[in-house]
Amino acid sequence: MTTEVTASATAENGATRDAWEGFEKGSWSEGIDVRDFIQRNYTPYAGDASFLAGATDKTLRLWDHLEENYLKEERKVRILDVDTDTPSDIDAFPAGYISEDDDVIVGLQTDSPLKRAMMPNGGWRMVAQAIKEAGKEVNPDVEKIFTHYRKTHNDAVFDIYTPRIRAARSSHIITGLPDAYGRGRIIGDYRRVALYGVDYLIEEKLKAKDAVADKPFSEHWARYREEHSEQIKALKKLKNMAQSYGFDISGPATNAHEAVQWTYFAYLASVKSQDGAAMSIGRLSAFLDIYFERDLKAGLIDETRAQELIDNMVMKLRITRFLRTTDYDQIFSGDPYWATWSDAGFGEDGRSLVTKTSFRLLQTLRNLGPAPEPNITIFWDERLPQGYKDFCALISITTSSIQYEADEQIRDHWGDDAAIACCVSPMRVGKQMQFFGARVNSAKALLYAINGGRDEMSGKQIVTGLPGIEGDGPLDFDEVWDKYEKMLDWVVGTYVEALNIIHYCHDRYAYEAIEMALHDSEIVRTMGCGIAGLSIVADSLSAIKYAKVTPVRDETGLVVDYVTEGDFPIYGNDDDRADDIAATVVHTIMAKIKAQPFYRDAIPTQSVLTITSNVVYGRATGSFPSGHQKGTPFSPGANPENGMDTHGMVASMLSVGKLDYNDALDGISLTNTITPQGLGRTLDERVSNLVGILDAGFVPEED
């Protein structure tokens, strides 16, 4: 049996209209294939920003109302309000609005702006703590349900954790694990709701579920059918939620307004039901631009209206909030949720994926002002249209609100419909998901190797059976490296075991039904592992190899400091001696990760990423041969050690570029800070120079 896609839908004026009128048909019109729809119908734009419109009066009134009545008050108290009675779900709350002007793109997580909702399926302890920290009282009936009758993800994880995992977690050699909050990093293909409507998506999920009905029982068979049932329920809840706002999303969107609204409803459903560490929205600009271009040509909208739709969608993304503890905020240096919106780059056919909506997205940073959310991420290539490159640079200089990724690397490995989950983690939208795994403290592991598994901060014996360095003489590089590799075997094995437990439990007790409903039925799963402290390890090993490093012990024999005499090459200065050590560390850890078994046959990947958590990791770690002092912040991601890169930004980019992307397919992060004045005297000079730096940093591999 085959299900035909129904493209007729009811437009805003009540008339029935062919939702796909004017679109070139293809495989997308015979089954779910959003990429094919985009490739056949989008219009690349090679011009400049002169066509853009400013914010409408309605947008500005709405934004001002939000600022004066909600955002300003929230900044005084951290958490403005919490619903303590209603466990959140896709359709758990009645419709909510910001004000009477809120009628362009509608939908709030709860019934009021910035009111946070409980998501106790992940774990009751964190919810209860966050409620109390917000100055609210826990509802005893809800508490009873989630402590007596309903097992949570967090309960399950700690039922299974082994003593060595608990020890590694408490000592912070493995840290930031998503064992008490939503794992995130799953990008639903929210565009599917606009292109196909919910009814067709439900029909396809029913077909997939019943396609295995006659197969013999197995654990995979049972889980497959159960998960599809949960996905279908979530899609029905999505329809209910949209209906509460007066929209019937059972069929495809018929115009640009509906395309934006339908897509946003799909995303809203995900943030109503999951509090993942990163809730990326995917790759939307070229998709939405197809609808804008069609309506612009038909005279149904003008540029002002097109910009208003994007402005209002972005406004909603800016006020997404999750109920989290102050400890969580410390790990992530604030309250981010990474609604990453990926844009630009090139298609596999060589056409630029820059559209006018790529410009409209950046224009929100001028119309509404700078903001960290959505996390706008540009897939950069030096061949991008010059007008777009200049506009990106201009917006970066004036707002500091854009991040950049290497398009060629992403496209070669993940295709041209990939998007970033969180900061640097790419995946094919709707065809792939990631089991998020935080990261191991690779720097602390070096200190454990030297100390034979004793924690340098507490003195506790965390790892047994791995003797450390004996004697008071200078450290020998080969001996240290041998012990470091053995310690990494223990650390990586413990780390992956914890990840497998976490994701097994998350699938059972906090399954992301709506996000997975917007995926293919058979998908690729990756396990996103990560490391922290790379630059400290590289510099410390360099010091041991090229200088003289003598350990300093306390009265118990624990090494607590180091005396380093002589010069040594520093990672981040385009010096192959140090940079090769860094690359070897990344390769070695990845090889050990690959040797582990993974839940649901996930493909292991690795990131070099600590954009926000480097402060917390540093606080839990001792002193190093490199000179890094106890308790001080790590440098972020793959950055050189703080203050140690002395040859400029391009040199640091070249050092990071020597890390093999195949060893870190989950992404490599380099954070640079430039004052606008450092780029030139005039704005034109600054724009030109920043474009030049970005071009130099993302040189294609063949060059």
Side-chain angles (χ1 to χ4, degrees):
M1 174 181 173
T2 60
T3 304
E4 294 183 359
V5 184
T6 301
S8 295
T10 302
E12 288 177 294
N13 62 7
T16 299
R17 174 188 176 190
D18 181 355
W20 296 344
E21 179 183 336
F23 296 153
E24 180 184 333
K25 303 295 175 60
S27 64
W28 68 269
S29 53
E30 299 172 0
I32 297 173
D33 190 346
V34 179
R35 179 191 175 274
D36 183 65
F37 169 74
I38 293 170
Q39 288 295 315
R40 290 179 183 276
N41 290 283
Y42 86 99
T43 304
Y45 178 67
D48 59 22
S50 59
F51 74 93
L52 289 168
T56 63
D57 290 341
K58 176 183 281 191
T59 296
L60 293 176
R61 285 198 307 271
L62 188 61
W63 185 243
D64 289 344
H65 181 87
L66 192 59
E67 170 62 30
E68 289 300 316
N69 294 279
Y70 296 99
L71 293 168
K72 182 186 292 186
E73 296 305 310
E74 183 186 54
R75 286 192 285 270
K76 298 176 184 177
V77 294
R78 178 176 170 267
I79 293 179
L80 184 64
D81 196 9
V82 180
D83 186 304
T84 59
D85 301 319
T86 312
S88 189
D89 201 352
I90 295 168
D91 58 355
F93 295 94
Y97 300 88
I98 297 170
S99 73
E100 292 181 355
D101 283 315
D102 188 9
D103 62 2
V104 179
I105 299 299
V106 299
L108 300 178
Q109 284 174 290
T110 59
D111 59 352
S112 179
L114 308 185
K115 181 191 286 186
R116 306 187 190 213
M118 300 180 292
M119 296 188 185
N121 288 338
W124 176 251
R125 179 185 56 80
M126 178 174 279
V127 168
Q129 182 179 341
I131 289 173
K132 293 173 183 176
E133 289 174 352
K136 303 287 184 179
E137 294 295 326
V138 169
N139 183 316
D141 292 332
V142 177
E143 181 176 31
K144 186 174 183 180
I145 291 170
F146 287 94
T147 55
H148 288 79
Y149 303 119
R150 207 313 186 160
K151 189 171 186 177
T152 68
H153 158 61
N154 183 247
D155 292 334
V157 167
F158 279 87
D159 280 349
I160 303 174
Y161 268 175
T162 62
R164 71 173 186 167
I165 294 175
R166 288 173 176 264
R169 186 182 185 276
S170 63
S171 68
H172 302 289
I173 194 166
I174 300 173
T175 190
L177 293 170
D179 51 18
Y181 57 89
R183 57 190 170 194
R185 294 211 187 173
I186 300 175
I187 309 174
D189 191 354
Y190 306 111
R191 307 165 301 185
R192 295 184 181 192
V193 174
L195 185 56
Y196 298 107
V198 174
D199 282 356
Y200 179 69
L201 300 179
I202 290 173
E203 290 172 8
E204 290 296 288
K205 289 298 179 180
L206 282 168
K207 282 172 53 183
K209 177 185 175 183
D210 289 340
V212 301
D214 295 329
K215 292 182 180 294
F217 177 85
S218 67
E219 183 177 348
H220 172 77
W221 178 92
R223 179 168 56 191
Y224 183 90
R225 284 183 55 80
E226 183 183 26
E227 288 182 349
H228 276 72
S229 292
E230 292 300 310
Q231 293 170 24
I232 292 165
K233 292 174 187 175
L235 288 168
K236 291 177 179 178
K237 291 178 182 179
L238 170 58
K239 284 180 63 175
N240 292 340
M241 183 263 287
Q243 191 64 56
S244 73
Y245 287 94
F247 289 92
D248 179 3
I249 63 172
S250 58
T254 65
N255 56 44
H257 179 204
E258 290 183 351
V260 178
Q261 182 67 74
W262 271 220
T263 302
Y264 172 65
F265 275 147
Y267 180 74
L268 180 62
S270 74
V271 296
K272 280 175 170 283
S273 55
Q274 287 289 330
D275 65 341
M279 298 294 288
S280 299
I281 198 167
R283 191 165 186 158
L284 305 181
S285 294
F287 174 78
L288 295 176
D289 194 77
I290 296 168
Y291 290 88
F292 285 130
E293 285 294 302
R294 185 178 65 169
D295 284 8
L296 285 165
K297 289 176 182 177
L300 299 177
I301 62 171
D302 58 14
E303 183 54 41
T304 298
R305 175 61 169 171
Q307 187 64 51
E308 183 178 55
L309 292 170
I310 295 298
D311 284 346
N312 278 261
M313 183 180 187
V314 165
M315 192 185 308
K316 291 301 195 299
L317 298 180
R318 290 189 179 191
I319 60 171
T320 296
R321 297 290 188 273
F322 294 108
L323 178 62
R324 288 166 175 167
T325 64
T326 54
D327 286 344
Y328 180 99
D329 287 0
Q330 289 178 2
I331 291 174
F332 293 103
S333 300
D335 190 20
Y337 76 101
W338 288 289
T340 305
W341 184 321
S342 303
D343 208 346
F346 280 84
E348 293 170 8
D349 62 0
R351 291 183 297 161
S352 163
L353 281 161
V354 172
T355 63
K356 285 188 175 181
T357 300
S358 302
F359 281 80
R360 293 178 186 120
L361 176 62
L362 298 180
Q363 178 75 343
T364 65
L365 294 167
R366 298 203 292 193
N367 288 352
L368 302 176
E373 302 286 2
N375 179 26
I376 298 175
T377 300
I378 307 302
F379 288 1
W380 190 270
D381 187 296
E382 63 178 345
R383 299 172 297 141
L384 288 173
Q386 191 64 45
Y388 183 68
K389 290 177 16 175
D390 290 345
F391 193 56
C392 286
L394 173 66
I395 297 298
S396 283
I397 290 166
T398 56
T399 70
S400 192
S401 298
I402 307 176
Q403 72 171 16
Y404 298 92
E405 308 275 348
D407 178 60
E408 183 185 62
Q409 297 274 30
I410 293 169
R411 187 177 65 253
D412 286 352
H413 287 84
W414 311 105
D416 60 9
D417 196 38
I420 298 297
C422 191
C423 305
V424 297
S425 308
M427 61 191 67
R428 297 176 188 265
V429 178
K431 299 182 178 300
Q432 180 181 340
M433 67 159 284
Q434 182 189 93
F435 293 135
F436 166 55
R439 49 202 59 87
V440 295
N441 192 332
S442 66
K444 195 177 184 74
L446 179 63
L447 301 184
Y448 272 35
I450 292 170
N451 274 312
R454 288 183 68 192
D455 189 89
E456 75 286 354
M457 302 292 278
S458 67
K460 294 181 179 178
Q461 189 74 45
I462 304 299
V463 184
T464 59
L466 294 175
I469 301 292
E470 298 179 355
D472 297 323
L475 298 176
D476 176 75
F477 177 84
D478 291 334
E479 183 183 11
V480 170
W481 178 258
D482 178 68
K483 292 184 180 298
Y484 185 47
E485 277 217 71
K486 289 183 172 63
M487 185 59 63
L488 286 175
D489 287 332
W490 186 94
V491 171
V492 167
T494 305
Y495 174 46
V496 172
E497 185 176 60
L499 296 184
N500 287 334
I501 291 168
I502 287 167
H503 295 294
Y504 166 81
C505 294
H506 209 292
D507 276 349
R508 292 191 68 191
Y509 298 101
Y511 180 64
E512 299 90 342
I514 191 62
E515 291 161 86
M516 298 312 299
L518 300 173
H519 280 70
D520 293 351
S521 290
E522 296 289 353
I523 61 169
V524 172
R525 291 176 174 85
T526 60
M527 183 73 79
C529 305
I531 60 173
L534 174 63
S535 61
I536 301 171
V537 175
D539 289 349
S540 294
L541 289 171
S542 177
I544 294 168
K545 185 173 185 177
Y546 294 103
K548 178 182 177 182
V549 176
T550 305
V552 177
R553 301 180 185 272
D554 67 9
E555 62 277 7
T556 69
L558 182 72
V559 177
V560 294
D561 206 351
Y562 302 87
V563 175
T564 300
E565 302 172 82
D567 297 327
F568 55 94
I570 302 294
Y571 166 71
N573 294 286
D574 195 22
D575 187 320
D576 286 344
R577 294 173 297 170
D579 298 345
D580 287 350
I581 292 175
T584 299
V585 169
V586 174
H587 179 78
T588 299
I589 295 176
M590 189 63 227
K592 294 179 184 300
I593 290 171
K594 286 180 178 178
Q596 306 300 315
F598 284 90
Y599 171 63
R600 295 188 83 164
D601 297 321
I603 300 168
T605 60
Q606 179 175 218
S607 66
V608 187
L609 167 70
T610 52
I611 285 179
T612 54
S613 46
N614 45 298
V615 175
V616 175
Y617 295 160
R619 191 180 302 144
T621 308
S623 297
F624 286 86
S626 64
H628 184 97
Q629 293 299 300
K630 171 184 176 180
T632 57
F634 289 3
S635 61
N639 275 50
E641 176 70 333
N642 297 320
M644 302 288 272
D645 50 328
T646 58
H647 287 62
M649 182 182 297
V650 173
S652 69
M653 295 171 87
L654 292 171
S655 288
V656 173
K658 295 172 190 174
L659 305 179
D660 189 342
Y661 184 54
N662 291 297
D663 290 329
L665 289 173
D666 196 40
I668 301 169
S669 169
L670 172 64
T671 305
N672 276 315
T673 301
I674 316 172
T675 60
Q677 295 80 5
L679 287 168
R681 290 175 296 179
T682 68
L683 185 58
D684 286 346
E685 284 182 359
R686 294 168 185 171
V687 167
S688 177
N689 287 334
L690 181 54
V691 168
I693 290 172
L694 290 168
D695 282 345
F698 295 115
V699 175
E701 286 185 297
E702 61 268 25
D703 293 352

